[in-house]
Amino acid sequence: MPNKQDFIKSIIKTLVDDLNRLLIIILLFLIIITIFIRNFYLDILKILILILVIFRITSKNKTKRYKENQTYLNIKKTLLKPFSNIIRNFNNRKSYVYKKCSKCKTTLKLPLPNKRGINHAKCPSCGTRVTLFTLRKKASEKVHVEVIKKTRKGE
């Protein structure tokens, strides 16, 4: 027989999807706001969101809830698409440095240099020397410059 905690975790995992998480976060935010601002409409909105969350969790029509969640994820993906470079750069910040070539405006993905201070790399597109200043240090390895985004001249 499965453990009681594992059973509860599996239920929570299947019932609380990304859309429900968003609704719960909005609900908590509204609860905090209504502590400071008393408004009848905010109270009604809190109750409606709570009813919607409970309805989504207790619903037997899982395929429809799944489609709703997929629609929400698609909207979220399209809204976050302009920020994908920032998110990728932030996730790789401990092992790579992103630098734009001053001549051809190509975005380069450079490994974190072995030494601190001023370091140089060569742009693979135009051959310009790219200077980067680092305060961090990484173990020695062969430097490989990768082109992330190449722009055309005149843009």
Side-chain angles (χ1 to χ4, degrees):
M1 187 168 173
N3 190 0
K4 200 175 202 181
Q5 287 180 338
D6 293 337
F7 179 70
I8 292 172
K9 284 181 183 178
S10 67
I11 289 175
I12 289 173
K13 193 174 185 179
T14 56
L15 294 180
V16 182
D17 55 2
D18 289 323
L19 181 56
N20 271 351
R21 284 189 203 118
L22 175 71
L23 291 173
I24 291 169
I25 289 170
I26 292 171
L27 181 65
L28 291 173
F29 181 71
L30 288 174
I31 289 171
I32 291 170
I33 286 177
T34 54
I35 290 173
F36 302 107
I37 302 170
R38 303 298 280 167
N39 190 335
F40 176 72
Y41 298 110
L42 287 177
D43 292 335
I44 290 177
L45 186 62
K46 284 190 318 189
I47 292 170
L48 289 176
I49 291 175
L50 183 63
I51 290 170
L52 182 62
V53 168
I54 292 171
F55 169 74
R56 284 184 47 79
I57 289 174
T58 58
S59 173
K60 298 210 184 258
N61 193 351
K62 298 296 179 193
T63 56
K64 193 155 188 168
R65 303 294 84 80
Y66 177 76
K67 286 181 183 177
E68 290 171 359
N69 189 46
Q70 290 303 313
T71 304
Y72 162 70
L73 290 175
N74 288 338
I75 292 170
K76 179 181 169 185
K77 185 178 178 183
T78 54
L79 289 176
L80 292 179
K81 193 172 185 177
F83 306 104
S84 63
N85 288 341
I86 297 169
I87 294 168
R88 182 193 64 232
N89 294 355
F90 183 76
N91 290 338
N92 292 333
R93 74 188 181 280
K94 292 187 178 179
S95 53
Y96 293 101
V97 176
Y98 292 90
K99 186 79 175 171
K100 252 188 186 171
C101 177
S102 59
K103 187 175 181 184
C104 65
K105 306 297 183 208
T106 302
T107 305
L108 305 172
K109 180 181 176 182
L110 305 164
L112 197 61
N114 297 332
K115 64 177 187 170
R116 293 183 182 132
I118 298 172
N119 296 288
H120 303 284
K122 186 177 176 184
C123 176
S125 300
C126 64
T128 305
R129 188 172 159 185
V130 179
T131 304
L132 45 128
F133 181 76
T134 54
L135 298 173
R136 302 170 286 178
K137 189 174 181 182
K138 189 178 135 182
S140 297
E141 65 180 47
K142 190 175 180 182
V143 175
H144 174 73
V145 178
E146 185 179 332
V147 174
I148 297 297
K149 183 180 176 187
K150 191 171 185 175
T151 56
R152 294 185 203 136
K153 287 189 176 182
E155 285 187 11

